[in-house]
Amino acid sequence: MVRALLIAGILAFAGPALAGPTAVIGGVTVNRYDYALKAGYDGARPLSLAPSTNEGWTPKSPTDYPQQWPEAWITWGQPFAPYVFASDAAIMLGESRRDGDPWIYQQMALNLDAMAMELTETLPSGATQIVHRFGYDVGENFAMPAGFRGAFANSMVAIGYLHFYEMDRQPAYLIKAQKMLDGITDVSGKQRLFTVDSGGFIWFEEVIAGDKAMGVYNGHMAAVFAMLEYRRVTKSTRYDPAIEAGITTMAHWLPVQRRPEGYFAYSRDFPTTPDYGQERAVFMVEALCSVTSDFGLCGEAKAFRQDFTYRATKR
């Protein structure tokens, strides 16, 4: 484990050896290939956060949310989970389009926004980041302290705000989504949410505290998809450099991380640990193929799908 952490530090903070075309993200020069990004791509769908309906949910009040906060998070002193926030927003948007009282959904959005704001820190630049109140054990001898942050949390809250914006067109929600996404690559505060490995590839870190990070594949891709969702909603190219740099990282690392055993690895620095959502990870790689139509990424998507199907038939 010590060796793994040493490798992580080297990957994250050694001077990058750039591989080709570049861009400056967060004041750092990183690899960025020019992809023909598909216009109008639904970035929420690969994360299972596209607008949906819930047949068993009939809200009686603005505090009758579609889903409850995870009990563990409540026990840890934080009755707020970014993914649940985004998932609730997706259901609220879907239900508001189908039927129901718009006032309830609008008030519910205000309540959820207030909860998110309790964990939001505004950086000197005006960008924002979610700061978690608790700490937790990521794995053996690897833990996140209380106050950790991450691109994943920012991405999920941004998607939630984008759904709120689509629900009632309040510009404030769009601004909040933009500030959360800005916070992923911002360097004006005391904690940046990205690292750059020794090859010059940027990583949007799922969780990070100081220099402690590990390059989680699904968390990195989630940030890319959140930026793509902003692109769809606004038709803005604001995050194209970060999107393309993030995809470039996956184009390089996906072939590296493919395991002979056929499973999808959880992170760059713990390659022998399988991701806890194997098919979800495959869906995300397939989404990268869909949004770029890139030959290499589509080949990787096909390979990971074959791996997953093979393992499924051997159970």
Side-chain angles (χ1 to χ4, degrees):
M1 180 59 65
V2 172
R3 181 175 180 272
L5 292 177
L6 288 173
I7 292 173
I10 292 170
L11 285 170
F13 298 101
L18 303 179
T22 62
V24 177
I25 309 293
V28 182
T29 301
V30 300
N31 295 312
R32 173 208 175 181
Y33 292 110
D34 184 16
Y35 291 101
L37 299 175
K38 184 177 180 180
Y41 185 80
D42 186 348
R45 190 165 298 279
L47 301 168
S48 299
L49 292 174
S52 60
T53 57
N54 188 340
E55 297 292 343
W57 179 61
T58 305
K60 299 293 193 294
S61 75
T63 57
D64 185 14
Y65 308 119
Q67 300 169 99
Q68 300 300 312
W69 304 118
E71 290 185 10
W73 291 61
I74 295 173
T75 301
W76 294 334
Q78 182 178 306
F80 179 90
Y83 186 84
V84 175
F85 175 85
S87 184
D88 277 354
I91 294 171
M92 290 159 58
L93 175 57
E95 289 287 348
S96 70
R97 288 173 172 174
R98 185 176 68 164
D99 56 26
D101 182 356
W103 179 85
I104 286 184
Y105 301 125
Q106 291 165 2
Q107 293 301 308
M108 198 173 290
L110 289 172
N111 291 341
L112 290 170
D113 172 34
M115 293 182 184
M117 289 304 296
E118 289 182 7
L119 301 173
T120 298
E121 179 180 302
T122 300
L123 308 180
S125 67
T128 57
Q129 292 177 351
I130 295 295
V131 184
H132 294 287
R133 294 174 179 166
F134 63 92
Y136 76 106
D137 292 333
V138 179
E140 184 181 357
N141 300 321
F142 193 88
M144 280 289 138
F148 75 91
R149 310 174 191 221
F152 181 79
N154 268 49
S155 299
M156 296 304 99
V157 173
I159 287 177
Y161 280 137
L162 288 170
H163 285 336
F164 291 163
Y165 171 73
E166 288 197 288
M167 187 172 67
D168 68 4
R169 294 294 167 179
Q170 291 295 319
Y173 290 134
L174 188 59
I175 293 170
K176 288 187 176 189
Q178 180 177 302
K179 288 183 175 182
M180 280 288 164
L181 294 175
D182 285 349
I184 294 174
T185 56
D186 188 89
V187 293
S188 71
K190 59 185 177 182
Q191 176 69 69
R192 68 180 192 177
L193 305 187
F194 70 93
T195 60
V196 179
D197 66 30
S198 60
F201 296 97
I202 194 168
W203 287 85
F204 305 126
E205 296 289 352
E206 177 169 310
V207 291
I208 189 169
D211 60 359
K212 183 181 288 188
M214 54 184 168
V216 177
Y217 289 100
N218 68 70
H220 173 86
M221 287 188 282
V224 171
F225 291 130
M227 294 175 192
L228 282 165
E229 180 68 356
Y230 180 92
R231 191 178 197 266
R232 179 191 68 80
V233 172
T234 65
K235 297 180 175 59
S236 167
T237 59
R238 180 184 183 90
Y239 298 109
D240 279 14
I243 290 168
E244 293 181 340
I247 295 175
T248 299
T249 298
M250 292 295 92
H252 171 77
W253 275 94
L254 287 173
V256 176
Q257 76 102 332
R258 189 177 176 212
R259 310 302 301 168
E261 300 88 345
Y263 63 79
F264 198 101
Y266 176 64
S267 79
R268 174 198 64 210
D269 298 337
F270 297 96
T272 60
T273 300
D275 191 292
Y276 55 84
Q278 288 290 303
E279 188 165 24
R280 176 211 54 200
V282 175
F283 280 142
M284 295 172 83
V285 179
E286 289 173 335
L288 293 181
C289 165
S290 296
V291 76
T292 63
S293 298
D294 178 74
F295 179 81
L297 283 167
C298 291
E300 289 303 314
K302 181 178 180 180
F304 279 113
R305 174 57 64 184
Q306 290 174 338
D307 288 346
F308 178 82
T309 302
Y310 174 78
R311 289 196 316 277
T313 60
K314 293 299 180 181
R315 290 174 184 169

